[in-house]
Amino acid sequence: MKTVIIGGVAAGASAAARLRRLDEQAEITVFERSGYISYANCGLPYYVGDVITDPEELTLQTPEGFWTRFRINAKVHHEVIAIYPERKTVSVRNLNTGETFEESYDKLVLAPGAKPTLPPIPGIRSKKLFTLRTVEDTLRIKAYIEQHGAKSAVIIGGGFIGLELAENFHALGMDVTLVEAADQLLSPFDPDMASFIHSEVRKHGIRLMLGTAVTGFEETDSGLNVSVQNGSVLRADIAALAIGVTPDTALAREAGLALGMRGSILVNDRMETSVPDIYAAGDAVQVKHFVTGENTLLSLAGPANKQGRIIADNICGGDSRYTGSQGSSIIKVFELTAAATGINEVTARNAGLHTETVVLSPMSHAGYYPGGKIMTMKVIFEKETYRLLGAQIVGYEGVDKRIDVLATAIRAGMKAPALKELDLAYAPPYASAKDPVNMAGFMADNIEKGILKQWHLKDAEKLPTDGSVTLLDTRTEAEFSRGHIEGFVNIPVDELRERLNELEKGKPVYVICQSGLRSYIASRILEGSGFDAYNFSGGYRFYEAVMHDRALIKSAHACGMDK
């Protein structure tokens, strides 16, 4: 049996290698229009910033290596320009010679990936404006910076690639401005959690322009002018466009395959297209979101590799199924690590789900062991069922392992209170006896049992100021004096039992502390003394970070400048 694969990166290379492992006699040909196969898309920005210094490290396999180990015929600089399902052939152009030929197949795998989104604005084809998708793109950016001595850059787009490029340009000593049309970076995160990311970016001298759209580019002798919607012009040596990707599906459309959202290829859970013997995988296909069950596009390497493997299984007579994409992701932002899985609170609300969240600020490992660092964790679950929907963590050490545990819990269909039951590894240098994931479970369990009642950031502006409720800050006097929410009175938690007479019974009490722990203890004291108490989710540390970020964004918009 002969299988032809269009695209030799994540999904395509994975399908090819799995096919060989399952069928030693199969004839396998991969056509890849770039000069590289099986390369690490996610590592490309780090070559620009000299974190990865050898370009050969960007490729996991070579055509020669693929042939030697797997007897797979991988042809780079070969572009498939047409598919003929009726006669089961593809038309291929050799980009080095211009020669065009037809190749037959028994099974065809489409893994063309996605291409950078290019908006229809003036100057979009400027040679000083770069996109980053392939190894060649990376080499072009690196060569231009070195040859022209570029010292400044404007990056358009605050997603994963844009943020990684900003960090790596900064590592080269360049002056960097990051422009994003939305009011936050990294859309998988809720705006409140993104506040910590914004702070880290600003701390390292990146000029951050949120809520700002780019309207055009103009080349000059000295560089590039980037026009933005507030009327100002940003001047830089180069610019990079990273506003997202679009499924590269022209071939599929012309061949008559059924298409889905944004022109993506429709597949079933066996990764079969609407045309017999043609499969598709990776960034070009529409999938189901594991949490919501809704159609989605997710450009991530993990799902693409899994889908390629599933295709190979099914070509070889198996019955493998893709159960949906969850969107688990992680990114390094200077010293910070930010990770997410499932859906965020905004997405959940848009999907019509009624949510509850817990926000906590645990240490990365036991507090008494030196070197522990605070992380901020947000876990989202369905109000009625307590089904886990998603999680976000921003911190330093230990973020990766906690997000992976939560991703596993979501995939396993666990409910939020069940997180308390997880038996997780503990030693002082690595964790706490009550791991942060367990702590999230304890909090959800308390909510389910009615032991914990919460109020959230979105409630802060709605709190009555007419005296009908009591607003209580349970931090120390010194902490309170350094900053507090207007209208709150200060009674430290350790003095609360002796000062209960200062609070009027019959009024709900809204309680806050630095992280949420002392205010929870205070809430239990109050509940046990006949008060109706509500604990702030996240604590004053969380409140202050989000409100400071919002003030900076609002100020920048108001004065037409950016910070």
Side-chain angles (χ1 to χ4, degrees), residues 192-203:
D192 48 15
M193 295 295 287
S195 298
F196 296 92
I197 299 167
H198 299 167
S199 177
E200 183 74 5
V201 171
R202 294 188 187 105
K203 185 174 79 175

Side-chain angles (χ1 to χ4, degrees), residues 15 109 270-271 279-281 307-316:
V109 179
R270 286 170 50 86
M271 308 312 296
Y279 299 78
Q307 292 160 13
R309 179 186 173 91
I310 287 168
I311 288 173
D313 287 352
N314 293 330
I315 287 175
C316 292

Side-chain angles (χ1 to χ4, degrees), residues 172-221:
L172 296 177
M174 298 175 70
D175 180 58
V176 181
T177 299
L178 180 56
V179 184
E180 166 57 48
D183 277 335
Q184 69 167 88
L185 302 175
L186 296 178
S187 61
F189 294 82
D190 282 313
D192 48 15
M193 295 295 287
S195 298
F196 296 92
I197 299 167
H198 299 167
S199 177
E200 183 74 5
V201 171
R202 294 188 187 105
K203 185 174 79 175
H204 285 83
I206 304 294
R207 186 184 182 195
L208 190 56
M209 299 179 68
L210 299 174
T212 305
V214 169
T215 58
F217 305 92
E218 182 185 9
E219 281 194 32
T220 67
D221 292 339

